[in-house]
């Protein structure tokens, strides 16, 4: 099922355990099944209860049941409902509308790219990477040197290169540039590993797909 709608209820950890136990009991009660309608996935993490559903009506029905259980146990909770925004790739308040026009979708995408760049700078590592396989070690070293001279974060291993980027847009622009510079290279763009901006002893390896033993 789709899980585009999410309810969160922040209580203490003991309260979450109580709610989960009662919700498991309610699974067998016909009245609860009728009120919940479609399937709702529920889980707990620390002091937060999560419920996921595929429609606004379903998540609010789940909220009604959960609020009833909170009252039953005398628990106070900070309850919120959010809707997943695919373009921006994050949860937004349920009253924030999904983008309807190309301009609105572009604005959400730009916010995603800005958020990724800010996170990359905060973490000190790239969130996206361009992976290249070149025909020879000589070409790999030469391209790596040019990129390093340009200030790029580069990891070179034999005929393989990893080049870090702050966000997906930057990674795809870089991939197009590198494909033009090295037309014989195989180029991939994907979310980054832990070690593109800097190689640390805690994470000394990068995994290159297809690397022969």
């Amino acid at each position: 099922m789709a899980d585009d709608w999410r309810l969160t209820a922040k209580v203490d950890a003991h309260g979450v355990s109580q709610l989960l136990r009662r919700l498991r009991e309610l699974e067998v009660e016909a009245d609860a099944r009728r009120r919940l309608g479609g399937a709702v996935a529920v889980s707990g993490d620390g002091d937060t209860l999560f419920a996921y559903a595929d429609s606004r009506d379903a998540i609010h029905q789940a909220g009604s049941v959960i609020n009833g259980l909170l009252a039953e146990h005398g628990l106070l909770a900070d309850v919120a409902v959010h809707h997943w925004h695919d373009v921006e790739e994050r949860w937004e308040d349920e009253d924030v509308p999904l983008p309807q026009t190309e301009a609105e979708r572009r604005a959400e995408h730009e916010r995603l790219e800005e958020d990724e760049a800010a996170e990359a700078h905060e973490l000190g590592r790239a969130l996206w990477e361009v992976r290249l396989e070149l025909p020879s070690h000589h070409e790999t070293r030469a391209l790596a040197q040019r990129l390093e001279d340009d200030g790029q974060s580069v990891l070179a291993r034999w005929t393989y290169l990893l080049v870090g980027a702050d966000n997906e847009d930057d990674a795809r622009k870089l991939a197009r540039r590198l494909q033009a510079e090295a037309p014989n290279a195989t180029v991939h763009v994907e979310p980054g590993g832990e070690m593109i901006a800097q190689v640390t002893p805690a994470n000394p390896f990068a995994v290159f797909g297809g690397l022969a033993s």
Side-chain angles (χ1 to χ4, degrees):
M1 84 175 188
D3 55 0
D4 292 340
W5 293 86
R6 183 186 74 178
L7 177 145
T8 57
K10 285 190 173 293
V11 292
D12 60 54
H14 178 63
V16 170
S17 298
Q18 286 181 296
L19 292 172
L20 289 172
R21 183 171 60 253
R22 284 292 290 128
L23 285 167
R24 282 192 290 269
E25 294 169 356
L26 288 174
E27 286 178 353
V28 299
E29 295 181 13
D31 181 59
R33 290 200 305 272
R34 178 186 59 76
R35 283 183 288 156
L36 286 173
V40 175
V42 181
S43 65
D45 183 8
D47 64 354
T48 305
L49 180 83
F50 296 91
Y52 299 90
D54 60 359
S55 72
R56 188 171 191 159
D57 285 346
I59 202 65
H60 278 281
Q61 289 290 343
S64 177
V65 172
I66 290 168
N67 282 322
L69 294 178
L70 288 167
E72 175 185 318
H73 290 280
L75 296 170
L76 297 177
D78 181 10
V79 179
V81 174
H82 295 89
H83 193 194
W84 179 254
H85 283 228
D86 276 331
V87 177
E88 207 166 358
E89 296 185 2
R90 67 180 177 189
W91 294 101
E92 295 278 12
D93 185 88
E94 63 174 324
D95 293 325
V96 176
L98 291 173
Q100 301 298 317
T101 67
E102 184 57 34
E104 290 172 344
R105 284 188 285 272
R106 187 164 56 250
E108 278 212 352
H109 179 73
E110 288 172 358
R111 285 196 294 272
L112 169 65
E113 298 303 299
E114 291 169 0
D115 288 348
E116 286 187 341
E119 183 179 354
H121 293 159
E122 181 180 348
L123 295 174
R125 65 176 178 84
L127 296 187
W128 285 81
E129 64 195 34
V130 181
R131 294 178 176 238
L132 299 91
E133 181 180 2
L134 291 101
S136 71
H137 181 50
H138 173 75
E139 291 173 85
T140 304
R141 291 184 63 184
L143 180 56
Q145 187 61 59
R146 292 200 302 273
L147 292 170
E148 288 177 350
D149 290 343
D150 287 343
Q152 295 283 350
S153 300
V154 180
L155 180 66
R157 293 295 182 269
W158 197 241
T159 60
Y160 295 85
L161 276 182
L162 286 176
V163 189
D166 287 345
N167 56 48
E168 184 177 5
D169 281 357
D170 287 351
R172 295 199 180 281
K173 289 176 185 175
L174 179 60
R176 289 193 292 269
R177 170 194 155 191
L178 295 179
Q179 190 72 83
E181 289 187 28
N184 294 329
T186 301
V187 181
H188 299 281
V189 174
E190 55 195 40
E194 295 291 331
M195 56 158 305
I196 303 310
Q198 58 183 13
V199 180
T200 66
N203 190 9
F205 301 105
V207 178
F208 293 85
L211 190 61
S213 58

